[in-house]
Amino acid sequence: QVQLVESGGGLVQAGGSLRLSCAASGRTFRIYTMGWFRQAPGKEREFVATIIRSATSTAYADSVKGRFTISRDNAKNTVYLQMNSLKPEDTAVYYCAGSRGNYAYTASSSYDDWGQGTQVTVSS
């Protein structure tokens, strides 16, 4: 089990960029698949991006592909989500999650540990 803490959220204008960070505590972060999910008001939590422990495989939701980039630094126990060309529909609470498996999972049920979330608001 790892403890996850997201940061980097905030208010940004449409077309702008934000970089989210997820800091993990625990000795086994390097073996975890990590993912980002988001939940907008009144909507279900949805998959955003995932990256396996070696960082050699990633997957993205169609809605963010080409705009968002997931990366990780295992030496720093941190996973990142670089968000460019932000749109108002990207407004949501963004959650970091970890899985003990070694696959680019897109389903939230595949993840074992979750952060508290960080708010991203994109204004028009």
Side-chain angles (χ1 to χ4, degrees):
Q1 188 178 47
V2 295
Q3 188 171 2
L4 306 172
V5 180
E6 302 95 333
S7 63
L11 175 65
V12 65
Q13 291 186 327
S17 298
L18 283 174
R19 189 195 195 198
L20 305 184
S21 297
C22 175
S25 62
R27 294 179 291 119
T28 58
F29 171 81
R30 67 187 185 279
I31 71 171
Y32 275 61
T33 289
M34 301 298 297
W36 287 97
F37 293 77
R38 67 187 183 186
Q39 187 167 23
K43 295 190 176 182
E44 302 268 359
R45 184 172 298 185
E46 66 175 349
F47 166 75
V48 176
T50 184
I51 185 167
I52 66 169
R53 62 195 183 202
S54 67
T56 56
S57 181
T58 60
Y60 296 90
D62 288 343
S63 59
V64 307
K65 196 168 187 177
R67 299 188 297 121
F68 291 10
T69 302
I70 189 170
S71 61
R72 67 191 295 161
D73 187 337
N74 289 345
K76 295 181 178 179
N77 276 17
T78 303
V79 63
Y80 306 95
L81 185 68
Q82 179 66 47
M83 306 185 294
N84 298 326
S85 301
L86 283 161
K87 306 174 181 179
E89 50 263 46
D90 295 319
T91 295
V93 177
Y94 283 70
Y95 297 91
C96 176
S99 171
R100 292 178 180 270
N102 188 30
Y103 183 79
Y105 306 104
T106 61
S108 60
S109 60
S110 296
Y111 292 83
D112 307 296
D113 301 294
W114 294 81
Q116 80 292 149
T118 186
Q119 177 71 48
V120 172
T121 303
V122 184
S123 66
S124 59

